[in-house]
Amino acid sequence: MRTLRFLLQKEFRQIFRNPAIVRMILVAPTLQLLVLPLAADYEVRNINLAVIDHDHSTWSRQLTQKLAASDHFQLVDYEESYRAGFHLVEQNEADILLEFPRGFERDLIREGKTTVMMSANAVNSVKGGLGTAYALNIIGSFNKNILTEMMPTPAVSPGEQIGVVSSVRFNPLQTYPLFMAPGILAVLLTMVGAFLAALNIVREKEIGTIEQINVTPIHKWQFVLGKLIPFWVLGLVAMTVGLTAAYFAYDIVPLGGYLVIYAFAAVYMVAVLGFGLLISTLAETQQQAMFISFFFMMIFILLGGLYTPINSMPEWAITLTKFNPAAYFIRVMRMVVLKGSTFADLWPDFKTMGIFALVLNSLAVLNYRKRT
Amino acid sequence: MSEVDNKTIPPVISVEGLTKQFGNFKAVDDITFDVAKGEIFGFLGANGAGKTTAMKMLIGIWKPTSGEGKVAGYDIYSETEKIKRNIGYMSQRFSLYEDLTVWENIRFFGGIYGLTREELREKGSALIDRLGMGEKKGSLVASLPLGWKQKLSFSIAILHTPQIVFLDEPTGGVDPITRRQFWEMIYEAADRDITVFVTTHYMDEAEYCNRVSIMVDGRIEALDKPAQLRKDFNAESMDQVFTSLARKATRSAD
């Protein structure tokens, strides 16, 4: 126990002498939480719309104005021909082209129906897809207005027969930070746990101090605990900073209570630390450790459900996410913060994370050699 | 200096047929020797001759391929953790923590060898006084000149009064005056009955040893007192002895 105390003392001293680590623990969570949810959300705004109006009628102008009035679209230009409009798309100045055919209004009045043509630039498929959907929505409601205007008192409403009243649960205002913050915290803990710890150990390998440690009577478990405990603490400190920032900036208070979050984070940290330790036993240089870390970080994030919902992934990818500890943490964080899930609800996740912790740490300890 | 030819005291290091093989390459090839208590044993050889490999097997961080060996009375296969308790080691690479202060390094390494708080305070202060580093006690080790770092490193390696201290090229890159002081420290340690096992490239340092062995291509080609070796090889200095042996090497230096 005394040996462990000396190890911990040394480790904490070194950590606090390293301004980069302190910055990462305090500044990174705050900045990421304040900036990222505001800048990077799913909403698509400022879709550039170019209109090619061959009709020049009241209604074509009305529809154009209606689209331009929405905060999703920005009317950038009127063009005379489709070719000129397409040129704008090629120049990346327009995302969506809307073309009104000659006789748009006339057909509408005489025959009760007409067509417009819409072309979307799908180089950015999210922008193209969502832009089309928004535009269809707006044209749809425009349709209804025309119907009521043209047939003031219809016998049977020709409009929609089934109306939908939707209610958004757990995040009623659909505030984006509320959804994003838990995920960002999860990524942060993974960074501190797996990668700071791995780099720290590999650094000792590189400098050669680990060889010195290996000829002392320090036991393997003492060395491992001496490395794990400080980073475990750091991870929870980083999370506290992050939760505080989330509270002050977005009024985020986990509905399920802080206790559940900390309890899960505590187990999660043990798991990712085991992972970091495993990396450190595989890498000989900090550069190697960085590359391995980066590789897994991408997988953790992309297959973690932070941006893409896991349910909409292909079957094989969903299976992969089951082996991604970050996916569990992101989900649990969201469930506790938004839905108010409790220990009882999350018991299976606690168990799975416990297994992760056990397996990863066992592998790491088995792989760590004082002797070759 | 202690008497080394006393055959009644069992040796602190005894090695027989020690071999380390990496694939087809025998880094250490069947070496046999004893080191007596309190002796300063010089372990010489060109770069790549196998000195460091042999030393790493003795201190328990590399497993021998074959052969027998005891260090401080413990088996080098099965009792490495006990060996580690009884030896000190100063590696080729500087291995104190540069981002800790002089005093923190002393405390850390003393602490993990199980020194009590009083021992740490007393021995630590004595060490600082002996090195005349009182003013530097609170400075980061990174800020010290190399010679001081090496002296500090050696002092810390023997802080827990081990039976044997292993020094792997301790004076590499150090100026002649500091080297001289360093060897005075080695003599002091030997006077306190700490056996010194040291590798070096400097032949003048070989003269300071009680006995030296010279490794060529993984084998020990000569082992005796420096004066005896000079006589056997009909040489004026250890330098000539070394050169005439090392010339036989077929392995290229690294």
Side-chain angles (χ1 to χ4, degrees):
Chain A
M1 276 331 273
R2 207 159 156 269
T3 307
L4 187 57
R5 222 185 57 222
F6 279 109
L7 278 165
L8 290 177
Q9 204 175 36
K10 162 210 156 236
E11 217 56 61
F12 275 114
R13 278 201 176 116
Q14 290 181 304
I15 287 169
F16 287 118
R17 260 178 215 153
N18 184 343
I21 294 187
V22 179
R23 246 177 259 143
M24 166 134 183
I25 301 300
L26 297 178
V27 182
T30 321
L31 269 187
Q32 288 192 344
L33 274 170
L34 295 188
V35 177
L36 290 187
L38 298 179
D41 63 20
Y42 293 137
E43 289 275 331
V44 176
R45 291 191 189 80
N46 307 328
I47 301 167
N48 292 329
L49 176 75
V51 172
I52 305 131
D53 192 348
H54 300 298
D55 199 44
H56 300 288
S57 61
T58 322
W59 275 353
S60 72
R61 226 162 285 145
Q62 263 184 26
L63 179 53
T64 307
Q65 268 162 21
K66 200 164 166 151
L67 284 167
S70 129
D71 61 352
H72 295 298
F73 294 103
Q74 240 174 350
L75 188 58
V76 285
D77 211 351
Y78 281 101
E79 285 296 339
E80 285 309 314
S81 66
Y82 182 78
R83 181 185 296 226
F86 194 73
H87 186 68
L88 282 181
V89 174
E90 284 175 332
Q91 298 294 311
N92 220 5
E93 279 164 30
D95 300 307
I96 291 202
L97 296 181
L98 189 66
E99 189 176 18
F100 293 96
R102 186 156 312 185
F104 168 78
E105 192 179 66
R106 189 193 60 214
D107 286 356
L108 199 58
I109 292 169
R110 275 197 205 151
E111 296 170 29
K113 62 177 183 189
T114 185
T115 48
V116 290
M117 164 144 140
M118 192 159 64
S119 328
N121 175 6
V123 169
N124 182 338
S125 64
V126 176
K127 213 171 183 183
L130 279 179
T132 314
Y134 290 148
L136 285 178
N137 212 341
I138 293 169
I139 296 171
S141 80
F142 184 72
N143 253 334
K144 259 190 267 174
N145 287 347
I146 297 172
L147 281 173
T148 39
E149 240 176 80
M150 284 169 59
M151 301 176 227
T153 46
V156 184
S157 163
E160 292 167 24
Q161 302 298 312
I162 301 173
V164 176
V165 180
S166 66
S167 143
V168 183
R169 301 294 303 273
F170 305 123
N171 189 357
L173 299 175
Q174 289 187 286
T175 19
Y176 190 72
L178 203 52
F179 176 71
M180 219 39 209
I184 289 178
L185 283 177
V187 172
L188 207 74
L189 280 204
T190 317
M191 294 275 283
V192 174
F195 309 140
L196 273 190
L199 284 179
N200 180 291
I201 299 174
V202 175
R203 186 165 165 265
E204 289 220 24
K205 269 195 198 176
E206 256 182 23
I207 302 177
T209 43
I210 206 158
E211 194 178 85
Q212 194 68 45
I213 294 289
N214 282 345
V215 289
T216 67
I218 292 179
H219 293 290
K220 206 149 103 165
W221 65 267
Q222 290 169 328
F223 179 78
V224 168
L225 275 186
K227 289 288 181 196
L228 293 194
I229 294 173
F231 286 98
W232 187 81
V233 173
L234 284 189
L236 295 186
V237 170
M239 191 175 80
T240 309
V241 174
L243 285 174
T244 313
Y247 171 76
F248 283 110
Y250 310 113
D251 282 329
I252 295 179
V253 179
L255 287 177
Y258 284 102
L259 190 63
V260 191
I261 287 195
Y262 275 93
F264 196 79
V267 186
Y268 179 72
M269 277 307 287
V270 177
V272 286
L273 279 167
F275 186 68
L277 204 61
L278 190 60
I279 294 179
S280 76
T281 60
L282 298 173
E284 287 304 320
T285 62
Q286 294 190 69
Q287 202 179 34
Q288 284 172 4
M290 277 299 276
F291 278 126
I292 302 177
S293 300
F294 207 76
F295 173 76
F296 279 103
M297 199 68 204
M298 292 294 281
I299 294 182
F300 281 180
I301 295 177
L302 293 179
L303 286 183
L306 182 55
Y307 295 109
T308 334
I310 289 178
N311 283 335
S312 58
M313 293 176 188
E315 202 62 45
W316 58 267
I318 294 182
T319 314
L320 280 183
T321 63
K322 296 209 170 27
F323 297 96
N324 176 3
Y328 292 85
F329 190 70
I330 293 173
R331 197 164 58 86
V332 166
M333 283 291 274
R334 282 182 182 152
M335 277 168 65
V336 177
V337 170
L338 300 174
K339 216 171 156 188
S341 298
T342 59
F343 278 108
D345 304 318
L346 300 170
W347 182 234
D349 295 285
F350 270 93
K351 272 197 292 192
T352 316
M353 200 42 71
I355 295 172
F356 268 115
L358 200 70
V359 171
L360 287 170
N361 282 289
S362 311
L363 283 177
V365 172
L366 284 177
N367 220 10
Y368 171 75
R369 297 246 176 278
K370 271 185 90 173
R371 195 170 187 215
T372 39
Chain B
M1 213 175 301
S2 47
E3 198 47 55
V4 294
D5 293 320
N6 194 340
K7 298 288 182 208
T8 54
I9 304 174
V12 283
I13 302 175
S14 80
V15 166
E16 211 181 320
L18 194 66
T19 301
K20 177 76 180 179
Q21 194 158 354
F22 299 104
N24 286 328
F25 176 73
K26 278 189 176 164
V28 174
D29 188 1
D30 193 18
I31 61 171
T32 302
F33 63 90
D34 285 345
V35 179
K37 193 174 172 60
E39 190 176 10
I40 298 174
F41 189 83
F43 206 55
L44 275 52
N47 286 333
K51 303 184 304 278
T52 302
T53 311
M55 188 181 266
K56 283 187 173 170
M57 289 190 281
L58 296 180
I59 60 176
I61 54 177
W62 280 6
K63 218 180 210 140
T65 310
S66 63
E68 299 297 322
K70 280 197 167 181
V71 173
Y74 299 107
D75 185 66
I76 56 169
Y77 288 92
S78 55
E79 296 173 308
T80 51
E81 293 306 307
K82 284 183 185 152
I83 290 176
K84 287 172 187 174
R85 218 162 258 294
N86 288 287
I87 60 169
Y89 172 58
M90 182 178 161
S91 81
Q92 218 165 19
R93 296 196 277 176
F94 176 71
S95 46
L96 295 179
Y97 286 99
E98 300 236 330
D99 50 356
L100 292 182
T101 65
V102 172
W103 186 248
E104 285 162 356
N105 267 292
I106 296 173
R107 260 185 63 87
F108 173 69
F109 283 104
I112 57 179
Y113 277 105
L115 263 58
T116 63
R117 196 176 306 167
E118 293 77 49
E119 281 177 321
L120 278 177
R121 213 179 17 241
E122 280 168 30
K123 291 193 168 190
S125 310
L127 187 163
I128 296 271
D129 290 342
R130 201 161 53 242
L131 293 180
M133 289 175 83
E135 279 172 28
K136 294 281 182 185
K137 201 173 142 180
S139 321
L140 292 186
V141 165
S143 68
L144 299 179
L146 182 68
W148 285 35
K149 284 183 187 172
Q150 296 300 86
K151 285 193 276 183
L152 180 64
S153 202
F154 175 71
S155 306
I156 289 178
I158 58 167
L159 189 65
H160 59 291
T161 3
Q163 291 191 44
I164 312 158
V165 63
F166 290 87
L167 310 172
D168 196 359
E169 286 173 32
T171 52
V174 170
D175 68 73
I177 300 171
T178 313
R179 263 172 60 200
R180 184 99 223 162
Q181 293 168 339
F182 197 91
W183 274 89
E184 278 165 19
M185 292 172 67
I186 290 181
Y187 275 108
E188 278 171 35
D191 281 343
R192 287 159 56 201
D193 259 357
I194 297 175
T195 308
V196 179
F197 187 97
V198 56
T199 72
T200 182
H201 283 307
Y202 299 107
M203 288 308 131
D204 56 327
E205 291 186 353
E207 306 272 4
Y208 301 151
C209 299
N210 299 133
R211 280 194 307 154
V212 296
S213 74
I214 299 177
M215 266 182 104
V216 179
D217 288 351
R219 278 178 233 252
I220 292 184
E221 292 291 337
L223 197 172
D224 215 323
K225 294 178 183 167
Q228 189 63 43
L229 283 177
R230 282 198 306 269
K231 214 159 107 194
D232 292 349
F233 283 82
N234 205 5
E236 275 170 27
S237 66
M238 276 306 291
D239 205 41
Q240 288 177 0
V241 177
F242 184 80
T243 319
S244 64
L245 277 171
R247 207 175 282 136
K248 290 194 277 179
T250 50
R251 272 183 210 167
S252 58
D254 50 23

